[in-house]
Amino acid sequence: MDWISLLKAQQADFLQRVKKPRTHDVSLLETQVRGCHTEIMTFSGEALEKMLTVACQQAEILGKNPPPTPPDYPEFSDWNIPFSAYFQQQVEDYILREQIVDQVMSQRLGKSVKKLPQDAVKSMVLDDEGNLRGESKFPYLLVDNPRKKILVCVADGESFNGIKKDKIKWSVIQEDLRDYSVLIFVCLFYPFHGERGYEKQAIVTGFLPTNQIEFSEPKIYVSPSYLLYAGGLSWYLATGISKQDTPSLFDEMFVVEKTQTVPPEHPLKGVIGDWECWQTLKGHSRGINCLAFYPGSEKSGNSTLVASGSRGETKLWDLTKGELVGTLSEHPWMLSGLVDEVNALAFSPDGHTLVSAGADSTIKMWHVGARDLIDILHKHNGMVRCVIFTPDGRLLATGGDDRTICFWDLMQRRVIVALSLDDTAAHSLALSPDGEILVTGSYRKIKVWRVCQQEGRTPNAQLLNTLTGHSHIVCSLAMSSDRQILVSGSRDKTIKVWQLETGELLHTLKGHRDGVYAIALSPDGQTIASGSADRTIKLWHLQTGELLGTFTGHLHTVTAVAFTTSGEILVSGSLDKTIKIWQRS
């Protein structure tokens, strides 16, 4: 078992133990054995009084220069106090929080870490009413390797329920991943009167190396079940992080790819056949978010290509040779401070152009042969999540967080039609081979549109139907070549098969243990391929909905799957930074 899986299992055990004790009985979380991990630390008596005194003294000093009064701070009345006095109270709470974290780090990690100085007033985060927010962050560095910085994320909680029910949340932003190597997550319970008098408790809830965190949003919220067990923190700081250039821990794992399909006597064995993993392509330094496939052309001599997108770069691969063709770097073209995740990719029908949709709200057009940027399209107000060419290659459809679908005239480089999704972001798109039917996937909804295009006229779109049934975001869509069937995959762990014209739900496919992020239909229209956060790829019979096969080998979420034109090869991309080529044998 790899060490990440081990710490994940120990984290699950920790959460089980958290469910057992009540707040007055925490023996299951404490140990007197030297070197063992003690999850909970209690501050009371003289030690707590000393910290409260220091907090009060520093608050008196810092409170003399308060920031501007927050916009929603209550105006003077008989019951409230001036903001300067109220601010001093918030500073006192913040300094106490800082001291407790310092004690936790000192007792847990000793002299191996050193606190980095920071301006308390600037580091405090107040809401619009002037209240100290229930979360703070404190930086440290590793003494033996000062270039490696540690960020302690602290969140307030009422009781053990917040941990055992995943109600405690810590925010993580892109800058945290950029500036720090490890994030440590601590929960502070509100003070109470217990057996030791006035008490304040802290729980080291877990940790995460930042090179294991993948997300494209400006901010995400992390819950206790997502963390690695804090009992492995000292070991990790002493071994994994101490290397000058810490490699991705996924790269250190070894896993055997396995393909399991129905037995030879099964009536659908001829449909699914047998498969094996032919090759694993490595080269990305971050998790792969998306793939695009171009079948190549004998006339033009173009090779069969696969494009893969991750944070900051897109790579082109020759699928026939299994070799890297080149890298398209996003970094020189960033338009904001946000690291640009490549969320979606699409090849033009002629294979000359590759389009990437990103987190910086732009669509970038690349020349495949020259591997250079052609243009940057600006219109969306927010992250762009999906992109698709019309069959003639003259128009491009894009969608994202601004709840609109934009149709771009690529000759004029402008939006000629914009469809509103009203109440939700666009996460996925599918277009019929004739370009007349567009399907959009969003939170719990699938919308079907008719796109009317006439020579010399601006196209228009009419909403035909809204399909409901999923309980979470619809991450991926695939349409049959005859426009009869639509397949949708969702974070609700299910795949749904729809009769497109009537909107009738034909099948709900259940088998994945986590969200479904990728869907593809085989060229013969008989097989559905699905990729999931449970790290597996599954093959299903379209007509009956029966599970025909399961592929394992990826170490993280499978974010993309694509069949080649022959249907004999399936390509998959994952947040484990690899592309796997599965071949029917």
Side-chain angles (χ1 to χ4, degrees):
M1 177 182 286
D2 61 84
W3 75 269
I4 289 184
S5 298
L6 178 62
L7 290 181
K8 274 289 188 184
Q10 290 177 321
Q11 180 72 1
D13 177 69
F14 159 63
L15 294 176
Q16 286 295 322
R17 287 186 285 119
V18 167
K19 293 180 180 181
K20 295 179 181 179
R22 300 184 183 276
T23 52
H24 63 270
D25 179 16
V26 294
S27 58
L28 283 170
L29 299 179
E30 294 180 327
T31 177
Q32 302 301 318
V33 180
R34 184 177 177 85
C36 287
H37 171 52
T38 302
E39 287 93 350
I40 189 166
M41 297 175 62
T42 302
F43 300 91
S44 62
E46 184 178 342
L48 182 59
E49 285 295 330
K50 183 177 180 180
M51 287 192 287
L52 288 170
T53 300
V54 171
C56 182
Q57 292 173 347
Q58 292 191 26
E60 289 182 4
I61 299 171
L62 298 175
K64 294 179 180 179
N65 296 298
T69 303
D72 294 336
Y73 186 75
E75 297 180 359
F76 289 111
S77 64
D78 294 337
W79 53 269
N80 70 0
I81 60 176
F83 175 66
S84 57
Y86 187 75
F87 175 71
Q88 184 172 320
Q89 295 178 6
Q90 305 310 297
V91 173
E92 188 172 334
D93 291 342
Y94 177 83
I95 297 297
L96 178 61
R97 186 182 290 176
E98 183 180 32
Q99 289 186 91
I100 289 177
V101 168
D102 207 32
Q103 286 293 315
V104 169
M105 293 294 284
S106 176
Q107 293 186 36
R108 283 297 322 282
L109 301 174
K111 297 181 179 180
S112 63
V113 296
K114 180 181 179 181
K115 182 181 177 183
L116 289 173
Q118 60 177 352
D119 188 316
V121 175
K122 291 182 179 179
S123 301
M124 290 177 59
V125 181
L126 305 178
D127 63 20
D128 290 341
E129 294 182 351
N131 302 306
L132 177 66
R133 291 189 184 273
E135 183 183 14
S136 297
K137 298 180 179 181
F138 302 98
Y140 288 76
L141 59 79
L142 199 62
V143 173
D144 292 338
N145 193 349
R147 290 184 300 174
K148 302 296 183 181
K149 296 180 181 178
I150 302 167
L151 187 66
V152 182
C153 305
V154 183
D156 288 335
E158 294 184 6
S159 66
F160 286 98
N161 279 331
I163 296 176
K164 68 186 182 182
K165 294 184 178 180
D166 262 3
K167 291 183 177 180
I168 301 295
K169 304 287 183 183
W170 297 268
S171 64
V172 176
I173 59 176
Q174 296 277 1
E175 287 75 9
D176 296 338
L177 305 191
R178 181 192 66 198
D179 298 338
Y180 298 94
S181 298
V182 179
L183 306 181
I184 299 174
F185 299 89
V186 176
C187 176
L188 297 184
F189 289 158
Y190 297 136
F192 65 97
H193 289 277
E195 295 180 355
R196 308 169 189 175
Y198 189 67
E199 298 182 11
K200 180 84 171 174
Q201 292 179 337
I203 293 186
V204 185
T205 317
F207 80 101
L208 286 173
T210 54
N211 63 4
Q212 301 302 300
I213 305 174
E214 298 285 348
F215 66 94
S216 56
E217 311 290 340
K219 177 190 292 186
I220 62 168
Y221 290 91
V222 176
S223 56
S225 62
Y226 185 74
L227 306 177
L228 298 180
Y229 181 58
L233 176 60
S234 298
W235 168 82
Y236 177 72
L237 293 179
T239 58
I241 196 176
S242 61
K243 301 173 186 177
Q244 184 161 341
D245 293 308
T246 306
S248 167
L249 301 171
F250 285 124
D251 296 340
E252 298 177 359
M253 299 182 199
F254 176 77
V255 65
V256 177
E257 293 88 358
K258 294 181 180 179
T259 58
Q260 181 180 1
T261 58
V262 293
E265 64 272 13
H266 194 283
L268 293 175
K269 185 63 175 181
V271 173
I272 187 63
D274 291 310
W275 291 75
E276 62 180 352
C277 184
W278 173 57
Q279 191 173 7
T280 298
L281 306 180
K282 299 180 179 180
H284 279 278
S285 59
R286 294 287 185 173
I288 296 170
N289 302 321
C290 51
L291 295 177
F293 170 70
Y294 176 65
S297 171
E298 292 183 3
K299 293 182 179 180
S300 63
N302 290 340
S303 302
T304 301
L305 297 176
V306 167
S308 54
S310 63
R311 183 186 304 162
E313 64 183 13
T314 298
K315 292 185 179 293
L316 294 172
W317 309 83
D318 185 323
L319 191 58
T320 306
K321 300 178 181 178
E323 296 177 353
L324 179 65
V325 175
T327 299
L328 311 176
S329 178
E330 298 273 333
H331 291 292
W333 313 108
M334 285 172 53
L335 298 176
S336 68
L338 180 66
V339 177
D340 191 15
E341 288 280 356
V342 180
N343 294 326
L345 293 166
F347 279 104
S348 61
D350 61 10
H352 293 161
T353 305
L354 178 70
V355 168
S356 62
D360 66 349
S361 78
T362 69
I363 300 102
K364 298 182 181 70
M365 301 181 65
W366 308 85
H367 189 280
V368 174
R371 298 194 289 278
D372 201 2
L373 189 71
I374 300 172
D375 203 352
I376 301 179
L377 307 180
H378 312 262
K379 186 66 175 180
H380 284 285
N381 183 23
M383 189 177 297
V384 186
R385 296 185 180 273
C386 43
V387 58
I388 193 169
F389 277 93
T390 56
D392 59 11
R394 297 167 64 181
L395 299 181
L396 184 73
T398 60
D401 285 359
D402 59 2
R403 306 174 184 178
T404 60
I405 304 296
C406 293
F407 277 88
W408 301 80
D409 184 318
L410 295 181
M411 294 294 291
Q412 302 180 37
R413 300 287 202 270
R414 68 182 182 90
V415 174
I416 54 175
V417 176
L419 309 180
S420 174
L421 297 184
D422 298 326
D423 57 350
T424 185
H427 285 264
S428 50
L429 288 173
L431 192 62
S432 61
D434 57 13
E436 293 184 1
I437 300 296
L438 175 73
V439 184
T440 61
S442 54
Y443 179 69
R444 303 175 68 177
K445 293 181 181 179
I446 298 170
K447 292 189 176 184
V448 183
W449 310 76
R450 182 181 300 280
V451 181
C452 301
Q453 300 185 55
Q454 295 183 5
E455 190 70 30
R457 294 188 180 182
T458 301
N460 61 76
Q462 175 188 2
L463 181 62
L464 299 179
N465 205 351
T466 299
L467 312 180
T468 57
H470 283 295
S471 60
H472 212 306
I473 292 171
V474 179
C475 299
S476 186
L477 296 165
M479 193 186 308
S480 62
S481 58
D482 60 5
R483 295 186 355 184
Q484 297 298 308
I485 300 296
L486 177 73
V487 183
S488 57
S490 169
R491 289 189 192 177
D492 65 9
K493 309 178 186 179
T494 70
I495 301 157
K496 293 186 182 292
V497 182
W498 311 81
Q499 176 68 42
L500 190 56
E501 185 174 354
T502 63
E504 178 187 359
L505 178 61
L506 302 178
H507 304 292
T508 296
L509 313 183
K510 298 180 180 180
H512 282 294
R513 301 187 307 275
D514 210 331
V516 179
Y517 282 77
I519 290 290
L521 274 177
S522 61
D524 63 8
Q526 294 195 69
T527 308
I528 303 167
S530 59
S532 168
D534 66 9
R535 308 179 185 182
T536 68
I537 298 162
K538 293 185 181 294
L539 300 182
W540 315 76
H541 190 228
L542 177 65
Q543 187 173 357
T544 64
E546 185 176 354
L547 178 62
L548 300 180
T550 299
F551 302 170
T552 58
H554 280 297
L555 302 171
H556 208 313
T557 300
V558 181
T559 54
V561 289
F563 282 101
T564 60
T565 306
S566 66
E568 300 293 309
I569 291 178
L570 179 72
V571 185
S572 61
S574 167
L575 292 182
D576 67 6
K577 310 173 190 175
T578 69
I579 299 167
K580 291 188 182 292
I581 303 173
W582 310 85
Q583 188 168 26
R584 181 166 169 159
S585 56

